[in-house]
């Protein structure tokens, strides 16, 4: 527990009304999408980077840990206050400071909700592509900290690819600017990209400079049913080799189709063993030609049926199938462990087959869908954790999924990050020397280990 | 001077034939494109990362500085052995290890020459976009270390955007892998991007995993003459806002046109005050439409003349004009100081006007051309340094160019890096706290400051 003098100092910095210590309030900031719970000692809502700087100086004196938090929508516990201390809620910093239409650059505060930002730039004909599934509530600060992805990344890249510069408060309380608002810049180390995906362990993000694109004129969506996962995977490679990089190349495996079929009135032939949702965007005229070319490329690969949306409403209906997946999984089992391995694109079918073997071996249902264009598979291990032994089976299955992904030249996480959930496993992916190199950076920049401690690195 | 025992140990590690100590040999590795000269004590040509690891362990014992070097084509002295010691020539590591056509990923050693790599991937229908002017001789390791750019970056991004993973030898001699060969990955800090542009100060690059694209089907080149630099700059913004992102948007100012006119038989109307070379690539059919749309967009912006290449030969002739610029500058004055500031795209005309004022103030010819689409201006201060006082005037003019670029929200370097040439100026761009944050990283990873010391950071 923190003493009242310390709390009083926090109140002095941010204002009394922005410091919470009541247990009911603390509980609100004790969890994220992992459903793990850790109670902080105090929740602080700073309003400026100067306030955050003063807080960081104060906590360094007292060695109190600080856990920055946006919407708390992460899947790996990156924002959880695992060691008590302070939760630093960034949502008061929620202004879009500038949308520079001439230079296609925006400056925002970290608490801006991703979808609201996307809508704001689309209103003036611009485009911010990264689209994590959480975009209706997740914040841009969190997106940067975790380097969020999404379906559109196959064509447009991940969050990092759009971050030109940052203002951050360092673990020791300095306010620094990284990068800038130019399209290029090579003066000094690229701290901007180092921050992206560092899960709030190297600095608190207080401002974000974002690169925008012109909004594509139109898009066209197709849903294609394949008789095998191999056919779908071959289609992905064949489309890209055909010089078309679709906006999205989302896939669902046979188990996912079963789930959706059971949960909705989706009519799908029985022999459909995989689905691809393919969306292309760009010049309106050109899209019809692209759809034609895609249909031709994939024809020999076991296509059971192709549905092409002719209107925005029809497109929406096709995407509705994809969106119904998460809810439909709950019919399988109440508890979902959602991993997001990524393998080389061509290894997706082999990976899916290996996951099927693992599911059988441990007798746990595993449902796979995700971003086939990137080789990024969302592996959902579905259990009822109230049944004794189920959690252990799930843990073993997940570890084995990681092992197989790594054996195929993949990674444990394409977009969710490490947090606390994957921290115990990272020695499977990174050598001790690589982890030590990273820890050396962390230790040098945060000598008291007070900024988001316990994340990414396995505990010693 | 290094003692014979130390040299013998180096010979033992890499083989006698790969260690050079004759002065004539040392001179070959004493300079780069800056024309500054620093003689190393010894030149070593390692053949494997294991050898480099052993060298780094050895030099840490003896506190001997090591300077990694590719082709030595850098413009800022990044590879110069400013403190004697060892030049580590990476060109024996010159194999293309794999081109994975299925996953659009290649693995190479750092000594591969950029153009040779581009040709190798184009042979199988793939594409590596970054195209620094030095591509005929510069190596991929150097491109990564400096984060090289080039004309095509406006559409395709810089070197960093294509680097998925690395194998590096750390300053203390560990061999580590960063990133991987998947399209996404968020396990641990992004050391890959941290290495890109760190100018060989954080590790020695020994392997590079590169993302490729499908080779565009065709390209189309136009050369447009404008009656003012403002018109050309407005054209750049208008084209991008018109939802066309050309492959290149190269500009030349009035002085550049004069140089080229004098040096070649280029026929250009007298009222042409700026040139844009616009190239679009992609689907063959679609390109004609894009060229038409561009012509329409730029028509009201003071176009004097538009030339559209109808054949590859005609395209080559248009590019020949751009390529003749560097040689033609020598007619102005023998010594060129080539800076590469970058400003927000819309600020290019203002920046050019400010440079003209600076050129008049110090009475030095300054010729500007470069990548207008990125706001990346190559500012060429042309002097005859044998004339007393000229160098001082150039130095003052360059410093003022930096000041004005920064005042417009720009940076001192878009693609050349800092090295030793800009190191004294970086406190103009970065605050002391930002520099300290970077130096903290450097110091933690290279406690003996033996890997490429004296680069990037101003001397204390």
């Amino acid at each position: 527990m923190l003493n009242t003098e310390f709390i009083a100092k926090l109140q002095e910095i941010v204002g009394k009304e922005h410091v919470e210590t009541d247990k009911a309030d603390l509980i609100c900031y004790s969890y994220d999408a992992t459903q793990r719970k850790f109670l902080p000692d105090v929740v602080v809502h700073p309003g400026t980077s100067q306030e955050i700087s003063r807080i960081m100086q104060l906590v360094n004196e007292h060695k109190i840990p600080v856990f920055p938090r946006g919407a708390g929508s992460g899947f790996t516990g990156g924002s959880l206050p695992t060691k008590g201390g302070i939760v630093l809620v960034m949502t008061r910093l929620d202004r879009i400071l500038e949308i520079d239409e001439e230079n296609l650059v925006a400056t925002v505060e970290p608490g801006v909700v991703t979808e609201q930002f996307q809508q704001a730039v689309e209103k003036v004909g611009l485009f911010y592509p990264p689209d994590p599934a959480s975009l209706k509530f997740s914040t841009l600060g969190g997106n940067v900290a975790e380097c969020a992805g999404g379906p559109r990344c196959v064509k447009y890249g991940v969050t990092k690819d759009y971050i030109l510069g940052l203002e951050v408060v360092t673990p020791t309380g300095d306010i620094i600017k990284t990068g800038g608002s130019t399209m290029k810049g090579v003066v000094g180390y690229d701290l901007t990209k180092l921050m992206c995906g560092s899960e709030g362990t190297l600095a608190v993000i207080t401002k974000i400079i974002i690169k925008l694109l012109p909004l594509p004129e139109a898009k066209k969506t197709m849903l294609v049913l394949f008789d095998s996962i191999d056919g779908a995977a071959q289609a992905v490679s064949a489309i890209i080799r055909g010089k078309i990089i679709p906006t999205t190349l989302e896939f669902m495996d046979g188990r996912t189709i079963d789930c959706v079929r059971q949960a909705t009135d989706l009519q799908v032939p029985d022999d459909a063993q995989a689905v691809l949702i393919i969306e292309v965007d760009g010049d309106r005229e050109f899209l019809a030609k692209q759809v034609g070319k895609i249909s031709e490329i994939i024809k020999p690969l076991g296509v059971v049926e192709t549905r092409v949306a002719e209107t925005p409403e029809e497109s929406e209906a096709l995407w509705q199938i994809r969106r119904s997946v998460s809810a439909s999984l709950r019919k399988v089992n109440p508890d979902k462990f959602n991993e997001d391995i990524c393998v080389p694109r061509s290894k997706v079918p082999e990976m899916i087959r290996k996951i099927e073997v693992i599911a059988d071996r441990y007798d746990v249902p595993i449902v796979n869908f995700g971003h086939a264009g990137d080789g990024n598979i969302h592996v959902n291990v579905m259990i009822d954790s109230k049944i004794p032994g189920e959690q252990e089976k799930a843990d073993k299955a997940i570890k084995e999924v990681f092992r197989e992904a790594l054996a195929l030249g993949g990674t444990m996480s394409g977009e969710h990050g490490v947090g606390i959930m994957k921290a115990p496993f990272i020695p499977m992916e990174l050598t001790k020397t690589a982890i030590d190199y990273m820890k050396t950076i962390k230790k040098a920049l945060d000598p008291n280990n007070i900024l988001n401690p316990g994340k990414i690195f396995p505990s010693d």
Side-chain angles (χ1 to χ4, degrees), chain A:
Chain A
M1 285 293 291
L2 302 173
N3 67 35
T4 50
E5 197 189 338
F6 182 83
I7 300 290
K9 279 185 184 156
L10 288 174
Q11 288 173 336
E12 192 199 306
I13 294 171
V14 297
K16 210 167 177 172
E17 67 277 29
H18 299 305
V19 176
E20 295 175 306
T21 52
D22 280 0
K23 191 163 179 197
D25 295 323
L26 300 183
I27 287 172
C28 296
Y29 299 95
S30 67
Y31 61 89
D32 70 357
T34 59
Q35 303 176 32
R36 302 280 178 113
K37 286 197 183 70
F38 299 87
L39 208 61
D41 293 308
V42 56
V43 172
V44 177
H45 301 256
T48 66
S49 25
Q50 286 71 27
E51 288 176 8
I52 296 168
S53 166
R54 290 179 62 196
I55 293 169
M56 294 314 294
Q57 286 166 29
L58 180 69
V59 296
N60 269 285
E61 277 170 41
H62 295 79
K63 314 279 186 294
I64 309 293
V66 171
F67 299 89
R69 180 187 176 95
S73 56
F75 275 119
T76 53
S79 65
L80 292 177
T82 46
K83 294 168 194 284
I86 302 173
V87 165
L88 199 68
V89 183
M90 301 299 291
T91 47
R92 280 179 66 212
L93 293 157
D94 66 348
R95 290 174 302 166
I96 296 174
L97 299 171
E98 191 194 9
I99 298 173
D100 177 348
E101 296 183 46
E102 187 98 41
N103 291 302
L104 277 62
V105 169
T107 307
V108 305
E109 292 183 324
V112 173
V113 171
T114 309
E115 188 180 60
Q116 286 172 15
F117 177 66
Q118 286 179 336
Q119 289 169 349
V121 301
E122 286 177 20
K123 226 177 259 174
V124 294
L126 298 176
F127 185 39
Y128 175 67
D131 55 345
S134 57
L135 61 84
K136 282 185 192 302
F137 38 92
S138 66
T139 61
L140 288 166
N143 288 181
V144 173
E146 300 290 327
C147 191
R152 293 198 293 227
C153 295
V154 57
K155 176 167 180 179
Y156 289 108
V158 295
T159 300
K160 175 178 320 203
D161 298 313
Y162 293 86
I163 309 305
L164 296 173
L166 297 169
E167 180 194 78
V168 300
V169 179
T170 70
T172 51
D174 289 318
I175 301 174
I176 63 174
K177 290 193 166 85
T178 74
S181 54
T182 54
M183 287 302 118
K184 292 170 169 175
V186 286
V187 171
Y189 298 150
D190 192 341
L191 299 182
T192 308
K193 306 281 191 218
L194 179 63
M195 296 299 161
C196 294
S198 68
E199 308 194 10
T201 63
L202 297 180
V204 181
I205 296 164
T206 52
K207 216 173 271 177
I208 309 169
I209 305 176
I210 298 176
K211 174 183 163 178
L212 302 170
L213 295 179
L215 186 65
E217 190 178 279
K219 53 189 177 183
K220 217 163 173 82
T221 317
M222 9 182 359
L223 183 137
V224 187
L225 305 168
F226 291 86
D227 62 8
S228 75
I229 191 80
D230 292 74
Q234 282 165 28
V236 167
S237 291
I239 291 165
I240 293 174
R241 284 311 303 264
K243 299 189 193 304
I244 299 170
I245 305 215
T247 319
T248 67
L249 272 166
E250 293 290 290
F251 86 102
M252 306 176 200
D253 71 356
R255 279 180 194 255
T256 310
I257 298 172
D258 287 342
C259 288
V260 176
R261 213 188 320 236
Q262 282 163 34
T264 70
D265 59 352
L266 176 69
Q267 299 296 317
V268 174
D270 287 342
D271 53 348
Q273 282 306 307
V275 167
L276 276 187
I277 301 184
I278 307 167
E279 193 165 273
V280 287
D281 67 5
D283 183 273
R284 195 178 305 277
E285 247 177 73
F286 192 52
L287 292 180
K289 192 186 157 187
Q290 282 205 323
V291 166
K293 198 170 164 191
I294 290 172
S295 300
E296 202 160 305
I297 289 170
I298 64 179
K299 205 191 291 175
L301 301 171
V303 172
V304 175
E305 192 185 323
T306 300
R307 303 175 189 177
V308 180
E310 296 299 336
T311 64
E313 293 70 33
E314 285 178 22
S315 165
E316 188 51 31
L318 294 184
W319 277 109
Q320 203 43 52
I321 295 170
R322 169 70 175 79
R323 285 199 204 98
S324 68
V325 169
S326 274
S328 76
L329 299 188
R330 294 209 191 100
K331 302 225 167 186
V332 180
N333 259 327
D335 300 306
K336 178 175 84 171
F337 292 87
N338 170 6
E339 303 300 341
D340 74 315
I341 57 165
C342 191
V343 293
R345 201 156 41 217
S346 67
K347 305 288 189 190
V348 169
E350 195 174 342
M351 188 66 222
I352 298 286
R353 277 194 296 272
K354 283 180 189 293
I355 293 171
E356 282 167 3
V357 171
I358 294 168
D360 286 347
R361 182 176 310 146
Y362 293 100
D363 188 29
V364 282
I366 305 183
V367 186
N368 305 294
F369 56 91
H371 318 310
D374 299 317
N376 190 187
I377 309 172
H378 289 279
V379 178
N380 296 273
V381 180
M382 306 303 303
I383 60 165
D384 184 347
S385 55
K386 288 189 298 300
I387 299 173
E390 286 287 287
Q391 183 66 58
E392 290 68 27
K393 286 188 338 192
D395 290 345
K396 281 183 188 160
I398 289 168
K399 190 167 180 184
E400 220 159 298
V401 167
F402 291 158
R403 187 176 299 130
E404 296 292 0
L406 293 170
L408 291 174
T411 172
M412 284 191 286
S413 183
E415 44 189 34
H416 292 173
V418 177
I420 57 170
M421 301 299 280
K422 294 183 186 177
F425 302 109
I426 81 164
M428 292 170 66
E429 178 159 345
L430 304 177
T431 58
K432 185 177 178 304
T433 46
I435 295 171
D436 284 347
Y437 191 97
M438 294 178 189
K439 283 169 85 170
T440 301
I441 295 175
K442 167 68 174 168
K443 202 173 170 186
L445 297 171
D446 184 7
N448 292 317
N449 197 28
I450 46 156
L451 187 60
N452 214 8
K455 308 299 164 68
I456 301 178
F457 305 110
S459 52
D460 297 316

